[in-house]
Amino acid sequence: MAHEEEGLAQVHQLLLDYGADGAKVFAGTKLERQCLDAAAAVMSDERFEMNLLHSGFALTALPHRNTKEVIWQRTGGASGEVTLHVESGYGTDKQPYGIPYGSIARLILIHLSTEAVRNNSRVVELGSSMRAFLKRMGVTPGGKTFTLVRDQSRRISMCRLTFFNKRGRDTLVNKGSFVKNAVFVDGNDLDGRDPFQDTVELDDAFFESLKEHPLPLRESAIKQLAGKSTALDLYVFLSYRLHVLPRATPVSWKSLYQQFGAGCSTQKAFVSNIKDPLTLALAVYPEAKVEVQEQGLILHPSDSPVPKTLPRSANFRLVTS
């Protein structure tokens, strides 16, 4: 099974021709086995459970690893029209909590966004609902993961964010935060309590912007990428771009590096490192038509990973005001 773009298409065809077990004999590498398993999980999912995320995160991204920076900024979009500016919150000791990062931060934001839009309410219940979501994603919030979830929820609750959106000669600025009100449980001994308060209230501006710009995502695909933040970012990006394209559209490595290259010191290193995450992202998006070329990617018009009309078995029903 080829590693280039021809192989990406073959993954899904092999599954259709031979089934999940039969296709495994064609997988010669660990990545190819991962792609087959991930693609099989998505292709066999008939419920089409849907999650949501603010579409701004399809064009910009949080860091993948912990950073000492207290101000984080990334620019993305077809012509660099969207910039995300995140500022760390501070505690009473004047020390920064830090910028949210990694796959756990992304999963928390997806959960908060989904629940808020699902119920058309800024107030989101946590505790059991968060644990249930993380469990569905294959994440058991215990031990080190428990500590990481607590840390990322605190960073998300305390940080400030601004979206800059260039529109011709003007720039639209949306300032606010993810969470308006939050309560932290201090100390390591929780006495059986949840690591979150029972509810959090999303920031007014973020909630309104989220309702105006929700990006549907397929939960089964998110689960397969749950521990891989770069692949998750690429899946979100492709889910946003492909189904609205009127024609084949080139995207340069330079543009992709600007948007997704956090942690890579050079564009050359980025191009080398992004190949595997891209392969995984495409594996869980069977409808995607993407060519990998020397100068970058060619994106082709493709069906959305989430159908416009969900089957009756789907658990998500979008509630609008």
Side-chain angles (χ1 to χ4, degrees):
M1 192 164 63
H3 181 68
E4 301 299 329
E5 61 270 19
E6 296 87 350
L8 303 179
Q10 287 178 7
V11 169
H12 306 107
Q13 192 59 51
L14 284 172
L15 289 168
L16 291 173
D17 292 342
Y18 299 98
D21 292 332
K24 290 181 180 179
V25 302
F26 297 95
T29 68
K30 179 180 179 181
L31 176 64
E32 289 172 351
R33 291 190 292 272
Q34 288 178 333
C35 287
L36 279 171
D37 288 341
V42 172
M43 293 173 69
S44 63
D45 170 39
E46 298 180 351
R47 289 179 59 83
F48 284 94
E49 298 290 355
M50 187 172 72
N51 289 156
L52 294 173
L53 185 64
H54 192 292
S55 61
F57 289 105
L59 303 176
T60 59
L62 294 170
H64 300 292
R65 300 178 181 85
N66 196 11
T67 174
K68 294 181 180 179
E69 297 180 38
V70 294
I71 295 179
W72 172 262
Q73 188 164 294
R74 301 301 295 179
T75 297
S79 57
E81 70 273 15
V82 176
T83 297
L84 171 65
H85 180 97
V86 183
E87 299 179 42
S88 171
Y90 288 81
T92 55
D93 58 0
K94 299 183 180 180
Q95 294 300 309
Y97 283 109
I99 304 294
Y101 69 90
S103 58
I104 293 296
R106 288 158 170 79
L107 292 178
I108 292 173
L109 285 175
I110 289 172
H111 175 70
L112 292 176
S113 301
T114 302
E115 290 299 303
V117 177
R118 185 202 305 267
N119 300 309
N120 193 29
S121 173
R122 293 194 306 274
V123 178
V124 179
E125 293 185 3
L126 293 180
S128 60
S129 68
M130 177 68 80
R131 285 199 308 273
F133 172 72
L134 292 176
K135 186 176 181 179
R136 293 201 307 274
M137 296 301 99
V139 178
T140 302
K144 292 183 178 179
T145 304
F146 171 85
T147 302
L148 182 58
V149 170
R150 287 186 69 194
D151 176 58
Q152 293 304 314
S153 64
R154 182 170 296 195
R155 292 176 185 231
I156 288 171
S157 296
M158 294 300 296
C159 72
R160 302 283 299 174
L161 73 155
T162 305
F163 279 109
F164 298 90
N165 195 332
K166 293 182 181 178
R167 296 181 177 179
R169 295 183 178 181
D170 301 323
T171 299
L172 178 63
V173 180
N174 288 319
K175 299 179 66 176
S177 59
F178 295 115
V179 174
K180 181 178 181 179
N181 296 311
V183 174
F184 297 130
V185 179
D186 293 325
N188 295 320
D189 184 8
L190 300 179
D191 298 324
R193 293 174 291 173
D194 285 321
F196 315 95
Q197 69 174 118
D198 291 337
T199 61
V200 296
E201 183 178 0
L202 298 188
D203 177 79
D204 300 42
F206 178 70
F207 177 63
E208 292 303 321
S209 184
L210 173 63
K211 290 199 299 180
E212 292 175 6
H213 308 285
L215 174 62
L217 302 170
R218 194 165 177 177
E219 185 172 289
S220 58
I222 296 171
K223 178 179 179 179
Q224 297 305 311
L225 307 177
K228 304 172 179 64
S229 60
T230 301
L232 188 54
D233 284 349
L234 289 166
Y235 173 74
V236 169
F237 167 71
L238 295 173
S239 298
Y240 176 78
R241 288 292 304 275
L242 295 184
H243 73 101
V244 296
L245 291 176
R247 64 186 68 86
T249 303
V251 181
S252 68
W253 290 126
K254 180 180 179 180
S255 175
L256 291 167
Y257 175 53
Q258 183 181 40
Q259 183 172 343
F260 298 110
C264 290
S265 58
T266 66
Q267 181 175 309
K268 182 178 180 180
F270 166 76
V271 173
S272 176
N273 292 336
I274 202 175
K275 296 287 181 68
D276 288 359
L278 175 63
T279 303
L280 280 169
L282 290 170
V284 300
Y285 189 170
E287 302 85 358
K289 300 174 184 177
V290 177
E291 296 179 57
V292 182
Q293 298 191 338
E294 184 177 352
Q295 300 302 318
L297 305 180
I298 304 294
L299 308 182
H300 294 271
S302 308
D303 289 339
S304 170
V306 178
K308 292 182 178 180
T309 303
L310 296 177
R312 291 182 179 273
S313 60
N315 189 41
F316 190 99
R317 290 293 178 267
L318 189 62
V319 179
T320 57
S321 55

